[in-house]
Amino acid sequence: MSVAETTTADTVAVRRIQRSDPVFEDVAPAGEVVPGMTRRTILTSGAPLPWHRYRGGQRQAILGAAVFEGLAADEDDADARLASGDIALRPCHDHGAVGSLTGVTTWSMPVVVVHDRANGTRGFCRLNEGGSTESLTFGVWSEGVAKQLAHVRDVVAPAFGAVLRATGGLPVRPVVRRALAMGDDLHSRHTASGALLRLHLLDALVREPGLVPPDARRALAEYLEEAEYLFLHVAMAASKAAADAASGVPGSGVVTAMVLSCDEFALRVSGLGREWFRAPLPPPADLRGRLFDDWTTDDLDYVGGESLITETTGLGGLAAAASFPLQDFSAGTPEAMVELTERMYGITVAEHPEYRIPALRYRGVPCGIDVRAVATTGIVPAIHLGATLRHGGHAGAGLFTPPVAAFRAAADTLTARSGHTGEQP
Amino acid sequence: MSVAETTTADTVAVRRIQRSDPVFEDVAPAGEVVPGMTRRTILTSGAPLPWHRYRGGQRQAILGAAVFEGLAADEDDADARLASGDIALRPCHDHGAVGSLTGVTTWSMPVVVVHDRANGTRGFCRLNEGGSTESLTFGVWSEGVAKQLAHVRDVVAPAFGAVLRATGGLPVRPVVRRALAMGDDLHSRHTASGALLRLHLLDALVREPGLVPPDARRALAEYLEEAEYLFLHVAMAASKAAADAASGVPGSGVVTAMVLSCDEFALRVSGLGREWFRAPLPPPADLRGRLFDDWTTDDLDYVGGESLITETTGLGGLAAAASFPLQDFSAGTPEAMVELTERMYGITVAEHPEYRIPALRYRGVPCGIDVRAVATTGIVPAIHLGATLRHGGHAGAGLFTPPVAAFRAAADTLTARSGHTGEQP
C-alpha cells in the first residue's frame, strides 16, 4: 500500500471525526437505549478477558453491579453466574458504549445518550455516579455505593432526562470548543464543560420549574453541584459516536478505540474494525502525576478504563496545551504540556477545525491518531488518566504511557492484510 | 525617604489588597447605598472636568442619565442644569464607586454592593446594563437604551438582589481564583467568572423558585444569559473596596486608582489620598487590539472608564498571561502576553497569594503598582480596555498604554511632600 493510499483512507476516517456533530439528547436506562443490551448483560471496560482474569477493583465492580441489578443473590452467587455465563459480561465498545474506569453498566442503570447528527451514530456512557468517588466507577462496592446508585437511577436520572429533553438537548461541539479556551482538556479536567452543562440544565429549570417535581428538582440541583467530572461521560459518549463513525474505512490506520482492562491495554483501528490489538499494561508505578492524601504509586492498580476515547478525537492528553491547570497531573509544567501536544502532531492525521488551543495561537488539536506513525516513530499518544487504588478508589490523576507494542501489532496487521487483499494499486 | 521606608509603606498598602475578602452582597438602588449620593447627583468616570469639557459618548451618557432620572425635561435642559450646577456631576471614585466606561450612575439606578469583609470597606458599581452594548455604558442614549435601563431597574435588579441576599452573597475571592485558571483576566474577559456568578444565582432559584415571581424569574434568567461582562462590575467593585482600603498609607506610592475621562488619564496613589495626577490621553489610534465589524482606529474615541481599577489589584492586563483567549485583544500572542505579565513584576510591590496564573507555574499575579518604579523604569501598567466609538458604542477591545507623565507627577509629588513633612528618618 502506498503512502498516498494510506493518506486517503486516513483522511476519510479522520474527516468523520472532524465533522462529528454530537448532541447530548437524553439520559435513559441502558436497557432502553443501548444496542444489544439484555437484562442479564453487564458491560465493562476493556478488551474482553475470561472471567477469572478480572481482579481488584474491576472484579469488585462487576460483582457489585450483578448484585445491584438483582442478577445474583450475593457476590459468591454472582461469581458463579459470571463463571458459568449465566450473566453475560460484554465489552462496552461492542455496544456503542464506553466505560469510565471500571465501566460497569447494567440494564437499569442510566446512560447518557449522545447523537452524532452529522454521522448518524450514537454513543452511550453511564451517567456520572455522583459526588463521591467511593463508587462502582472507581471499583468500590458497599451499601453506600448501592444507595447512591439507586438515588441516581430513581431520582436524579429521570429528572435530568426530562429537563434535557425539554431543552431539545445540548450541542456538545460548542461546549468542547468553549471549554478548551477555559482550561479543560475534556478528559482529566471538566471544570468549564461541567459548568456549561450545569448552566444549561439550571437555566431551563429556572424558566420552567414545573418540568420536574420540587423534590427531584432539588435532588438534581444537588447532584449537579456535587458530581465531579459531570461532563466527562458526555465527552466520552460523543467521542465514541465519532470514533464509531470513523471505523471501518479499509486501509485506514486511524485509532478508533483505546481501552484498559485490569490486565491489558488494547486498541482498535479503523481499517480493522472490531479487532483488538492488545499489550500488557505498564507497571502502575510508571504513572506520572499527582496522588491525593498520602497515597504512593505502590498503592495503585488498574481497574479498567475507556475514557481514553477522548484522546482518539484529539482531546485529553493530546490537548494538554489547553489545560495548564492540570500541570501537576500531566507533564509537570506548562512548557512540558506544550511540548507534549506539539509532539502529538507528529502521530496524528489532521487538526480539528473547531477545537483549538489558545496557548498554541489557536492551532487545532491534533486529531486522528495514526497507528503507522506511532509504530514508525515510537511516539505514543499522551493520555490523561485517573489513578485508582489497588482495591478500588480514587487516588489522583496522571500521564499514562500506553505500550507501543499494541500500536505496532495493529500497524503490522494492516500491512499484512493489505498485502493479502490486493488493496494496493 | 529611604528605600526601606518606601518598602514598608508600600508593604502596608499592598497587604490590604492581598488580604481583601470581598463578598458580593447585594444589588440595590444607588441612592440607598452609595455614600454621599443625592437625588440630583450624577456620577461619572474620570477625574472631574468642567462640564463644558465633556464631549462625545461621555457627554451623551451624562445628558441621557439626567433625562432618564427625571432631573431634566430633555437634553437641552439637562445641558443647562449641568452647566449651572443644578445637577451635581461627581467622580464615581469619591463615592466608593467605580464606573464602567462612561460610568454614569443616578439615584434610582441599581448598583452592585461588594463588602470587603477583611478590610471593612464597600465598593459599588452600576449593575451591568444588559445584553446590548447600545447602552449608556458605551455612551449611547436612545429610546431603546431608556427602555432597557428601566427594565433592569424595575424588574431584573430587584429579582437579582432578592436571590443574592437569600444566598448570603457570593464570595468573590474564590470566583476570581477559579476564573484565572479558566482563561479570564477579570477585565476584558469574564467568560468563566460570569458563568460562576450565573450558576450561583440559578442554583438558588432552582432550589427555591418562589424567591421571586415567575415573570421576574424568567426576566432574570434571560438577563443572566445575555449580559456580557456580567461579572466585570462585581470585579470592579471588589477591586475598589480593596483599593480604598489600601489608600491613605503615608509615603506609599502604591496606585489606588487609574481612571479615564473623555479627555484625560488620571491616577491616585495611597500616600496622597484623593489627589488626582493627570495627563492627556494618547491618541485612540494607539490602542492595540481587535475591532469588531469594519471599524478602524479612526472611528474610536474615549468615553471615560474606571474598569482599570481591576489592574490596581493585579488583574486585567497585569494578569494577561492567565488569559490567552484574549490574545487578539491584548499583546497579540500567548508568548507576548507572558512577557507582558512578567514585565509587570518589575513595577509591582508583591504577588497575590491566591490569584495565580497556571501558565506561569501558578505564580501569583503582580499586585500593587509602584508609582516610583513606573517613574524610574518607564514601564507602565498593561491595561486591557474596551474600545469605544467616537459617538458612543462598542468597537472592540485592546491593550491601552497609559501616559507615564501621570505616574512621574505622582512620584515627584511623593518625593517633594516627604521632604516637607519630615517623614525621613
Side-chain angles (χ1 to χ4, degrees):
Chain A
M1 176 176 290
S2 73
V3 170
E5 253 194 322
T6 307
T7 304
T8 303
D10 288 345
T11 302
V12 169
V14 82
R15 277 195 186 145
R16 295 182 190 165
I17 297 176
Q18 290 174 307
R19 80 179 179 197
S20 174
D21 184 16
V23 179
F24 179 21
E25 286 187 344
D26 204 357
V27 170
E32 290 181 14
V33 290
V34 172
M37 195 71 191
T38 76
R39 290 192 182 271
R40 302 198 70 76
T41 299
I42 298 177
L43 305 181
T44 193
S45 290
L49 299 171
W51 167 239
H52 68 87
R53 283 185 59 194
Y54 289 96
R55 58 186 178 74
Q58 188 166 20
R59 182 182 188 87
Q60 188 61 69
I62 296 165
L63 293 171
V67 174
F68 177 76
E69 192 65 27
L71 303 179
D74 55 29
E75 292 178 49
D76 287 343
D77 185 31
D79 188 359
R81 290 176 187 274
L82 282 153
S84 74
D86 175 55
I87 298 172
L89 190 60
R90 300 269 308 152
C92 297
H93 263 284
D94 284 353
H95 295 263
V98 273
S100 174
L101 293 169
T102 66
V104 290
T105 308
T106 57
W107 177 272
S108 74
M109 290 181 183
V111 296
V112 305
V113 180
V114 176
H115 178 200
D116 181 339
R117 294 187 181 175
N119 288 308
T121 46
R122 279 183 174 73
F124 308 91
C125 184
R126 187 151 63 87
L127 185 67
N128 187 295
E129 224 168 305
S132 175
T133 57
E134 184 180 308
S135 63
L136 278 192
T137 301
F138 284 93
V140 181
W141 171 241
S142 67
E143 253 182 66
V145 169
K147 201 176 152 190
Q148 174 66 8
L149 282 170
H151 176 68
V152 169
R153 180 189 61 192
D154 302 333
V155 182
V156 172
F160 197 131
V163 179
L164 188 60
R165 285 189 300 274
T167 66
L170 175 67
V172 170
R173 202 167 161 115
V175 173
V176 173
R177 197 183 62 227
R178 292 170 66 192
L180 284 169
M182 295 168 82
D184 282 5
D185 73 325
L186 278 304
H187 185 171
S188 276
R189 184 171 164 97
H190 278 92
T191 307
S193 54
L196 295 173
L197 168 54
R198 207 177 142 212
L199 276 176
H200 181 78
L201 298 171
L202 292 180
D203 179 71
L205 269 171
V206 164
R207 291 172 199 240
E208 285 299 338
L211 284 170
V212 290
D215 284 357
R217 203 171 57 226
R218 276 187 286 272
L220 178 58
E222 272 163 33
Y223 169 86
L224 292 174
E225 185 185 9
E226 291 170 7
E228 282 190 272
Y229 308 108
L230 184 63
F231 196 79
L232 169 60
H233 302 222
V234 180
M236 286 171 62
S239 292
K240 171 64 173 166
D244 272 1
S247 183
V249 179
S252 170
V254 166
V255 173
T256 51
M258 294 187 287
V259 298
L260 274 66
S261 65
C262 51
D263 254 20
E264 290 177 333
F265 173 82
L267 60 82
R268 285 173 168 173
V269 296
S270 172
L272 299 169
R274 291 188 164 197
E275 195 168 345
W276 290 113
F277 297 90
R278 304 170 184 240
L281 285 163
D286 285 5
L287 192 84
R288 175 180 179 173
R290 197 165 91 182
L291 302 183
F292 307 140
D293 306 323
D294 294 325
W295 302 117
T296 72
T297 50
D298 289 344
D299 301 308
L300 303 184
D301 204 353
Y302 296 104
V303 301
E306 301 181 335
S307 50
L308 299 73
I309 192 74
T310 55
E311 271 84 1
T312 65
T313 59
L315 304 173
L318 273 73
S323 194
F324 294 156
L326 277 181
Q327 57 195 273
D328 288 348
F329 300 96
S330 177
T333 64
E335 295 80 2
M337 294 178 91
V338 165
E339 206 182 291
L340 205 64
T341 291
E342 282 178 343
R343 203 154 61 232
M344 294 300 108
Y345 291 107
I347 57 164
T348 44
V349 177
E351 298 175 14
H352 198 285
E354 278 193 38
Y355 298 167
R356 294 175 177 278
I357 302 177
L360 302 185
R361 303 186 184 190
Y362 280 105
R363 187 172 181 185
V365 298
C367 186
I369 297 161
D370 175 355
V371 82
R372 294 185 184 89
V374 175
T376 308
T377 62
I379 299 170
V380 291
I383 312 269
H384 285 162
L385 200 67
T388 46
L389 297 167
R390 196 174 299 280
H391 299 294
H394 192 192
L399 193 60
F400 169 78
T401 305
V404 72
F407 296 85
R408 292 207 166 117
D412 290 348
T413 304
L414 268 177
T415 306
R417 299 271 170 88
S418 68
H420 292 293
T421 57
E423 282 183 28
Q424 302 105 311
Chain B
M1 177 174 291
S2 73
V3 170
E5 253 194 323
T6 306
T7 304
T8 304
D10 287 345
T11 301
V12 169
V14 81
R15 277 195 185 144
R16 295 181 190 167
I17 296 175
Q18 290 173 307
R19 79 177 179 199
S20 173
D21 184 17
V23 179
F24 178 22
E25 287 187 343
D26 205 357
V27 170
E32 289 180 15
V33 289
V34 172
M37 195 70 193
T38 76
R39 289 191 183 271
R40 302 198 71 77
T41 298
I42 298 177
L43 305 181
T44 193
S45 290
L49 300 171
W51 168 239
H52 67 88
R53 283 185 58 195
Y54 289 96
R55 59 187 177 73
Q58 188 167 18
R59 182 182 188 86
Q60 188 61 69
I62 296 165
L63 293 171
V67 174
F68 176 76
E69 192 64 28
L71 303 179
D74 54 30
E75 292 178 51
D76 286 342
D77 185 30
D79 188 0
R81 290 175 187 275
L82 281 153
S84 75
D86 174 54
I87 298 172
L89 191 59
R90 299 270 306 154
C92 297
H93 263 285
D94 283 354
H95 294 264
V98 272
S100 173
L101 294 169
T102 65
V104 291
T105 309
T106 57
W107 176 271
S108 74
M109 290 182 183
V111 296
V112 305
V113 180
V114 176
H115 178 199
D116 181 340
R117 292 186 182 176
N119 288 307
T121 47
R122 279 184 173 74
F124 308 91
C125 183
R126 187 151 64 88
L127 184 66
N128 186 294
E129 223 168 306
S132 174
T133 57
E134 184 179 309
S135 63
L136 278 192
T137 301
F138 283 92
V140 181
W141 171 241
S142 67
E143 253 182 67
V145 169
K147 202 176 150 186
Q148 174 66 7
L149 281 170
H151 176 68
V152 169
R153 179 188 63 192
D154 302 333
V155 181
V156 172
F160 197 133
V163 179
L164 189 61
R165 286 190 299 274
T167 66
L170 175 67
V172 170
R173 201 168 162 116
V175 173
V176 172
R177 197 182 62 227
R178 292 171 66 192
L180 284 170
M182 296 169 81
D184 282 5
D185 73 326
L186 278 305
H187 186 170
S188 277
R189 185 172 164 98
H190 278 93
T191 308
S193 54
L196 295 173
L197 168 55
R198 209 178 141 210
L199 276 176
H200 181 79
L201 299 171
L202 292 180
D203 179 71
L205 270 172
V206 164
R207 291 171 199 242
E208 285 300 337
L211 284 170
V212 290
D215 284 357
R217 203 171 57 226
R218 276 187 286 273
L220 179 57
E222 272 163 34
Y223 169 86
L224 293 174
E225 185 184 9
E226 290 171 7
E228 283 190 90
Y229 308 107
L230 184 63
F231 196 79
L232 169 59
H233 302 222
V234 180
M236 286 171 62
S239 292
K240 171 63 172 167
D244 272 2
S247 183
V249 179
S252 170
V254 165
V255 173
T256 50
M258 295 187 287
V259 298
L260 275 66
S261 65
C262 52
D263 253 20
E264 289 177 334
F265 174 83
L267 61 81
R268 286 171 168 173
V269 296
S270 173
L272 298 170
R274 291 189 162 196
E275 195 167 345
W276 290 113
F277 296 90
R278 304 171 186 239
L281 285 163
D286 285 4
L287 192 83
R288 174 181 180 173
R290 196 165 91 182
L291 302 183
F292 306 141
D293 306 323
D294 294 324
W295 301 118
T296 72
T297 49
D298 288 345
D299 301 309
L300 303 183
D301 204 354
Y302 295 104
V303 301
E306 301 181 335
S307 50
L308 300 72
I309 192 74
T310 55
E311 270 84 1
T312 66
T313 59
L315 305 172
L318 274 73
S323 194
F324 294 156
L326 277 180
Q327 57 196 271
D328 289 348
F329 300 96
S330 176
T333 64
E335 296 80 3
M337 293 178 92
V338 165
E339 207 182 292
L340 203 66
T341 291
E342 282 178 344
R343 201 153 63 230
M344 294 300 108
Y345 291 108
I347 57 165
T348 45
V349 178
E351 298 175 16
H352 197 283
E354 278 194 39
Y355 298 167
R356 293 173 177 276
I357 302 177
L360 302 184
R361 302 184 185 194
Y362 281 106
R363 186 172 182 185
V365 298
C367 186
I369 298 161
D370 175 355
V371 82
R372 294 185 185 89
V374 175
T376 308
T377 62
I379 299 170
V380 292
I383 312 272
H384 285 161
L385 200 67
T388 45
L389 296 167
R390 193 175 301 280
H391 299 294
H394 192 191
L399 193 59
F400 168 77
T401 305
V404 72
F407 296 85
R408 292 207 166 116
D412 289 349
T413 304
L414 269 176
T415 306
R417 299 271 170 87
S418 68
H420 292 295
T421 56
E423 282 181 30
Q424 302 106 312

